[in-house]
Amino acid sequence: MTSGILTKTYPGTTGRSRGCASVNRVALIGNYVPRQCGIATFTADLAEAISRAFPETDCFAVPITDTEEGYQYPERVRFEVQQNDLASYRFAADFLNISAPDVVCLQHEYGIYGGPAGSHILTLVKELRVPLVTVLHTMLREPNADQRRVLEELAGLSDRLIVMSKMGADILSDVYSVPDEKIDCIPHGIPDVPFIDPNFYKDKFGVEGKTVILTFGLLSPNKGIENVIRALPEITNRYPDVVFIVLGATHPNVIKQDGEAYRISLERLTADLGVEQHVVFYDRFVAFDELLEFIGAADIYTTTYLNKEQITSGALAYAFGMGKAVISTPYWHAEELLSDERGVLVPFADPGAIAAAVTDLLHNDAKRHRLRKRAYELGREMTWPVVAGQYMDCFTKVREDRLEHPKQCRNASPLNVRPRDLVKIDLQHLERLTDDTGLLQHATFIVPNYTDGYTTDDNARGLLVTTLLEDSGQTTDRAQKLSIRYLAFLLHAFNPSSGRFRNFMGYDRGWLEEVGSDDSHGRALWALGTVIGRTEVEPYRGMAVRLFDNALSAVEKTTSCRAWAFALLGLQEYLSHFSGDRRAQRTRDVLANRLMQELKIAAGPGWPWFEDILSYANAVLPHALLISGKAMNNKEMISGALDALEWLADVQCLASGVFSPIGSNGFYPRGGHRARFDQQPIEAQAMVSACLDAYRATNDPEWRAKARWAFDWFFGANDLSEPLYDPVSGSCRDGLHADRPNENRGAEATLALLQSLAEMHAMETLIEVGDLQRDTEGDSVPQTAS
């Protein structure tokens, strides 16, 4: 097929005649309308085309949903996947295996799935027992490590791969070593409409008698629309009847990040250049029939992407196939489609070249109509009825190949015998405890307790947790709204005269002290460093850098080991973004060496610890020493930290094997009695965090097993077999007494749960993309009795 586009024939592109009756059910995975994006439109168009061309085939959709509110999907949608919820992908795999379609057709684009480089989708496809065809909407010649891993694994798990251009097939073969015989090249589908005179539709948009230049699609800065606007003064000087229509709403992801800044910049540019009368912005996502009328009214279509690595453009395919004269920058799809005098290519970001191309086509009617005719003729091979047939050819081949050569499937375990899925992040109780001032520290049951006011400690914890959630892509919008409250609280808490943070604030917003505890200062630095290292919101990072810089010097004057440890964790996050900051490096080295010295002084036979007592947040001490030792390449620190952490795990393990943290009613002095209660959630969180970083440092699966062992304390694997997490309210109980859980649910407890959950989700995601070595559910847990 499409012999005018392809110079290399790939199996599956020859329009082979097969009996399609063997493919009776097709499941399509990808975004779906009414979600506003190109892949949603493509998936819906493909489903409709298959259903019209092959009415005996049941074609249903499994969309990816990126908002908590969801979408009003049509009846064709049978199951939806929550983009950032890894467990949702497992449920979808179960649904598909039970539904048993003959083929699953997956639309792949890195950004539409959760996890690094969209790695969550691998969880679904690894458990499929039905044939899989993957359609690749993005191809990169120079992928990063995560992108390469995801695509290579997805290619290996797919029965066949579909690309939409010869370039895509070449990249698959050359860059990812996919065999040619596994690749089908099928063009982007387009509507089958007659070749019409543009004047037929112009009166509908008030541009009758005008020459119309059109661009359409969701607006984003990579479209380069400003370069067409900059070309307009030269164009309109020769052809004053020209109107440039910019059709489309701003891309939802751009709205989230930058609002309407790009559209406003385009509007200002038109005013600055004096071409307001020649530019019309239609700020909306138009329905299909109206879109065809807009395209029909165009004399020239422009597509001016700034990046060459654009392997597929649905907008280009539509305009080209409807017989428009196309002027484009030379991105991959355009280079291929517009070759052989089917369009005009201009250099990237070159308004002068755009102006020359437009005026040439308007001056030379014969050339413009020749381009239109050639584009329309080739477009007949791209219409949805033709494309639907080629997809069914591919599906049928896959189905027949599976019948002839059965593929050994992974054992997809039913959900009740799988490793326990992590619960979904729930911010409702954190939001309940947060007001316009910040995060209240206590609650009576789940009701916020105003009497005890606020602390820098808890607002720093809140900022740390919401930043971790933003970094992992979970509940991003809600987390960012909370982050700014907590960041503002820390800004207000900082006392410039002392260089320290205040800690306790009354409900009346009055500070109860001028200088807070050492630990609250260290914890504030930890949170600020995490913002600096992880946030994508530059104003947050800018504010955090300023505050971090002002507060850093004071930490060297503190005397608390935990304050040093909290600060070291923050410094590591900070240095992940500003690795060359010599002042931060020096402070890290000073604090890490102090912590190592404390370990050398206090440790003795049977007590490899930093102090003469195990008190609270114990695991943070070896945790901070470990990550600092790794960064400083100090083997003595690494060894000492791992020995201390392993000993702490042994001390906190009952004979039954459950995690039993040091109780706060007396703690555990050297040579004294070990308090068993009251057990605090912060101990489980500190242990989870430390063990996960120990796993990253050593790649020893025993540490990941210990992290899960401590994490399960929240869910009933504890002395009382009582869960502390309440899924109804999204809260965590404040601790375990000897006879019952503490039913109050304050900030510290709930944040300890949320931080542990966020970090466990992050680890599971890393393992999904193969960054770390997998181990099984049967990993051993520590069994030493305390």
Side-chain angles (χ1 to χ4, degrees), residues 88-158:
S88 181
Y89 292 79
R90 294 194 182 104
F91 286 115
D94 280 350
F95 172 81
L96 290 166
N97 287 331
I98 292 169
S99 301
D102 296 311
V103 175
V104 169
C105 181
L106 171 73
Q107 312 308 309
H108 181 258
E109 154 66 53
Y110 292 110
I112 71 174
Y113 303 107
S119 58
H120 283 3
I121 193 60
L122 298 176
T123 296
L124 188 160
V125 300
K126 285 175 181 176
E127 302 214 12
L128 281 179
R129 295 194 292 265
V130 297
L132 175 66
V133 173
T134 297
V135 183
L136 298 170
H137 292 258
T138 295
M139 299 292 300
L140 301 174
R141 279 201 178 278
E142 297 179 358
N144 64 33
D146 286 338
Q147 290 165 339
R148 178 179 288 277
R149 274 193 296 270
V150 169
L151 188 53
E152 287 180 346
E153 190 161 358
L154 186 59
L157 293 164
S158 301

Side-chain angles (χ1 to χ4, degrees), residues 35-52:
R35 183 171 175 179
Q36 296 181 2
C37 78
I39 290 182
T41 302
F42 179 90
T43 309
D45 286 348
L46 178 59
E48 292 300 319
I50 291 173
S51 295
R52 287 195 184 101

